Amino acid sequence: ATLQHAVDWVSRSGSAGDTIYLREGTYYEQVEISGLRGTPSQWYTITHYPGEVAIIDSINDHGLEDYKGILDFRWTNTNVIVSGLTLRNTSGHGIFLYSGGKGTPSTEVELISGIRITNCTIYNCSSSGFYTWSGLWPNSKIRNVEFCYNTVYNVNNGSSYGFGEGTIIPHVDERSEER
Protein backbone atom coordinates (compact mmCIF):
# COMPACT_ATOMS: atom_id res chain seq x y z
CA ALA A 1 0.00 0.00 0.00
CA THR A 2 1.05 3.57 -0.58
CA LEU A 3 0.29 6.83 1.18
CA GLN A 4 -1.34 8.02 -2.06
CA HIS A 5 -3.70 5.04 -1.94
CA ALA A 6 -4.61 5.82 1.68
CA VAL A 7 -5.21 9.53 0.98
CA ASP A 8 -7.36 8.71 -2.06
CA TRP A 9 -9.41 6.20 -0.09
CA VAL A 10 -9.94 8.57 2.86
CA SER A 11 -10.92 11.47 0.56
CA ARG A 12 -13.56 9.24 -1.10
CA SER A 13 -14.78 7.06 1.77
CA GLY A 14 -13.41 8.42 5.04
CA SER A 15 -14.95 10.69 7.64
CA ALA A 16 -13.75 13.95 9.15
CA GLY A 17 -11.55 13.12 12.11
CA ASP A 18 -9.87 10.11 10.44
CA THR A 19 -6.12 9.57 10.93
CA ILE A 20 -3.75 8.04 8.39
CA TYR A 21 -0.83 6.39 10.22
CA LEU A 22 2.36 5.65 8.30
CA ARG A 23 4.22 2.61 9.57
CA GLU A 24 7.99 2.72 9.96
CA GLY A 25 9.90 2.83 6.72
CA THR A 26 10.70 4.87 3.64
CA TYR A 27 7.92 5.58 1.15
CA TYR A 28 9.19 6.44 -2.33
CA GLU A 29 6.43 8.60 -3.73
CA GLN A 30 4.97 12.04 -4.26
CA VAL A 31 1.46 12.42 -2.82
CA GLU A 32 -1.34 14.63 -4.13
CA ILE A 33 -3.73 15.51 -1.33
CA SER A 34 -7.11 16.67 -2.56
CA GLY A 35 -10.62 16.67 -1.19
CA LEU A 36 -9.92 16.19 2.53
CA ARG A 37 -12.59 18.29 4.18
CA GLY A 38 -12.25 18.13 7.94
CA THR A 39 -14.22 20.30 10.31
CA PRO A 40 -12.99 22.69 13.02
CA SER A 41 -13.67 19.97 15.61
CA GLN A 42 -12.68 16.91 13.50
CA TRP A 43 -9.42 17.32 11.61
CA TYR A 44 -7.93 14.80 9.22
CA THR A 45 -4.44 13.79 10.35
CA ILE A 46 -1.50 12.29 8.45
CA THR A 47 1.25 11.16 10.81
CA HIS A 48 3.69 8.39 11.75
CA TYR A 49 2.64 5.44 13.85
CA PRO A 50 3.60 6.13 17.50
CA GLY A 51 7.24 5.28 18.23
CA GLU A 52 8.09 4.74 14.56
CA VAL A 53 9.83 6.88 11.92
CA ALA A 54 8.14 7.46 8.56
CA ILE A 55 10.09 9.00 5.68
CA ILE A 56 8.64 10.10 2.35
CA ASP A 57 11.44 10.19 -0.22
CA SER A 58 10.85 11.49 -3.72
CA ILE A 59 14.31 10.61 -5.11
CA ASN A 60 13.04 7.88 -7.43
CA ASP A 61 10.10 9.93 -8.69
CA HIS A 62 11.60 11.11 -11.96
CA GLY A 63 8.23 12.45 -13.11
CA LEU A 64 7.96 15.05 -10.32
CA GLU A 65 7.44 18.48 -11.79
CA ASP A 66 9.35 21.43 -10.29
CA TYR A 67 6.15 23.04 -9.06
CA LYS A 68 4.86 20.11 -7.12
CA GLY A 69 5.61 18.99 -3.61
CA ILE A 70 6.40 15.69 -1.99
CA LEU A 71 3.12 16.41 -0.19
CA ASP A 72 1.13 18.36 -2.75
CA PHE A 73 -2.11 19.89 -1.44
CA ARG A 74 -4.32 20.63 -4.47
CA TRP A 75 -7.67 22.27 -4.93
CA THR A 76 -9.85 22.07 -1.80
CA ASN A 77 -8.59 20.78 1.55
CA THR A 78 -9.73 21.98 4.98
CA ASN A 79 -8.66 21.16 8.54
CA VAL A 80 -5.77 18.79 7.86
CA ILE A 81 -2.81 18.12 10.16
CA VAL A 82 0.51 16.69 8.93
CA SER A 83 2.73 15.80 11.87
CA GLY A 84 6.02 14.10 12.61
CA LEU A 85 7.00 13.07 9.07
CA THR A 86 10.35 13.36 7.30
CA LEU A 87 10.17 14.59 3.70
CA ARG A 88 13.32 14.48 1.59
CA ASN A 89 14.94 14.47 -1.85
CA THR A 90 12.89 16.27 -4.46
CA SER A 91 13.39 18.47 -7.49
CA GLY A 92 10.31 20.40 -6.30
CA HIS A 93 9.03 21.54 -2.89
CA GLY A 94 8.80 19.59 0.34
CA ILE A 95 5.21 20.73 0.92
CA PHE A 96 3.20 22.70 -1.63
CA LEU A 97 -0.21 24.24 -0.91
CA TYR A 98 -1.83 25.11 -4.26
CA SER A 99 -5.27 26.57 -4.70
CA GLY A 100 -4.70 27.93 -8.15
CA GLY A 101 -7.66 27.26 -10.32
CA LYS A 102 -7.73 24.19 -12.50
CA GLY A 103 -6.31 26.08 -15.45
CA THR A 104 -9.33 28.27 -16.12
CA PRO A 105 -11.47 30.64 -14.08
CA SER A 106 -14.16 28.77 -12.22
CA THR A 107 -17.17 29.80 -10.20
CA GLU A 108 -16.34 27.11 -7.63
CA VAL A 109 -14.34 28.40 -4.67
CA GLU A 110 -11.15 26.43 -4.19
CA LEU A 111 -10.16 26.72 -0.56
CA ILE A 112 -7.16 25.45 1.34
CA SER A 113 -7.78 26.38 4.96
CA GLY A 114 -6.91 25.08 8.39
CA ILE A 115 -3.68 23.33 7.39
CA ARG A 116 -1.29 22.57 10.26
CA ILE A 117 2.22 21.25 9.52
CA THR A 118 4.03 20.37 12.78
CA ASN A 119 7.17 18.58 13.92
CA CYS A 120 8.24 17.61 10.41
CA THR A 121 11.76 17.52 8.97
CA ILE A 122 12.09 18.67 5.37
CA TYR A 123 15.40 18.57 3.48
CA ASN A 124 17.16 18.16 0.14
CA CYS A 125 14.59 20.09 -1.91
CA SER A 126 15.73 21.77 -5.13
CA SER A 127 13.04 24.38 -4.57
CA SER A 128 11.37 25.45 -1.30
CA GLY A 129 10.86 23.36 1.78
CA PHE A 130 7.38 24.87 2.14
CA TYR A 131 5.58 26.85 -0.55
CA THR A 132 2.10 28.24 -1.06
CA TRP A 133 0.41 29.68 -4.12
CA SER A 134 -3.18 30.80 -4.38
CA GLY A 135 -3.23 31.10 -8.13
CA LEU A 136 -4.53 33.59 -10.60
CA TRP A 137 -8.25 33.51 -9.91
CA PRO A 138 -10.04 35.44 -7.16
CA ASN A 139 -11.93 32.31 -6.07
CA SER A 140 -8.67 30.51 -5.17
CA LYS A 141 -7.98 30.98 -1.45
CA ILE A 142 -5.38 29.84 1.09
CA ARG A 143 -6.18 30.74 4.70
CA ASN A 144 -5.25 29.79 8.25
CA VAL A 145 -2.03 27.87 7.72
CA GLU A 146 0.25 26.94 10.63
CA PHE A 147 3.83 25.79 10.02
CA CYS A 148 5.17 25.14 13.52
CA TYR A 149 8.12 23.34 15.12
CA ASN A 150 9.54 22.06 11.83
CA THR A 151 13.17 21.68 10.75
CA VAL A 152 14.00 22.72 7.18
CA TYR A 153 17.48 22.50 5.65
CA ASN A 154 19.33 21.99 2.36
CA VAL A 155 16.59 23.62 0.32
CA ASN A 156 17.30 25.99 -2.56
CA ASN A 157 14.86 28.78 -1.71
CA GLY A 158 14.34 28.27 2.00
CA SER A 159 10.71 28.47 2.91
CA SER A 160 8.62 30.57 0.55
CA TYR A 161 5.64 32.24 2.07
CA GLY A 162 3.21 33.77 -0.39
CA PHE A 163 0.37 33.44 2.06
CA GLY A 164 -3.20 34.43 2.49
CA GLU A 165 -5.00 35.26 5.70
CA GLY A 166 -4.24 33.94 9.17
CA THR A 167 -0.86 32.31 8.53
CA ILE A 168 1.36 31.50 11.50
CA ILE A 169 5.03 30.62 10.98
CA PRO A 170 6.73 30.34 14.38
CA HIS A 171 9.61 28.11 15.43
CA VAL A 172 11.08 27.10 12.08
CA ASP A 173 14.65 25.82 12.36
CA GLU A 174 16.14 26.63 8.94
CA ARG A 175 19.69 25.45 8.31
CA SER A 176 22.02 25.35 5.35
CA GLU A 177 24.41 22.61 6.46
CA GLU A 178 24.19 19.00 5.40
CA ARG A 179 23.41 16.24 7.83
Side-chain angles (χ1 to χ4, degrees):
T2 65
L3 176 55
Q4 184 67 67
H5 177 79
V7 167
D8 291 347
W9 186 89
V10 167
S11 69
R12 282 189 320 271
S13 304
S15 300
D18 283 352
T19 298
I20 297 171
Y21 288 105
L22 292 176
R23 296 305 307 238
E24 180 142 357
T26 302
Y27 298 79
Y28 295 98
E29 59 184 308
Q30 181 266 331
V31 181
E32 184 173 297
I33 300 168
S34 181
L36 294 181
R37 291 177 175 93
T39 69
S41 63
Q42 293 184 303
W43 292 55
Y44 282 101
T45 302
I46 301 170
T47 190
H48 61 93
Y49 194 79
E52 298 183 358
V53 176
I55 299 167
I56 305 173
D57 189 319
S58 185
I59 197 162
N60 291 329
D61 190 348
H62 302 291
L64 182 64
E65 298 173 24
D66 288 342
Y67 272 89
K68 287 204 168 197
I70 296 172
L71 293 183
D72 199 60
F73 286 80
R74 294 281 164 156
W75 325 126
T76 296
N77 289 281
T78 56
N79 301 308
V80 179
I81 298 168
V82 175
S83 180
L85 302 179
T86 297
L87 310 176
R88 68 181 188 197
N89 300 326
T90 180
S91 60
H93 309 289
I95 295 175
F96 187 19
L97 305 180
Y98 175 80
S99 179
K102 298 177 183 175
T104 59
S106 167
T107 57
E108 178 185 345
V109 173
E110 294 172 9
L111 177 64
I112 292 180
S113 180
I115 305 299
R116 186 176 297 155
I117 311 297
T118 64
N119 300 305
C120 291
T121 300
I122 303 168
Y123 65 98
N124 293 348
C125 301
S126 294
S127 196
S128 302
F130 181 74
Y131 187 78
T132 66
W133 192 61
S134 61
L136 303 173
W137 316 117
N139 57 335
S140 300
K141 311 276 186 216
I142 296 176
R143 296 187 172 137
N144 302 316
V145 175
E146 296 179 30
F147 190 74
C148 303
Y149 304 102
N150 298 286
T151 300
V152 179
Y153 62 97
N154 288 348
V155 296
N156 189 41
N157 297 329
S159 298
S160 299
Y161 312 123
F163 293 122
E165 302 167 13
T167 300
I168 301 171
I169 310 287
H171 310 290
V172 177
D173 179 11
E174 293 188 85
R175 306 181 207 162
S176 59
E177 82 275 3
E178 285 203 32
R179 284 193 172 172

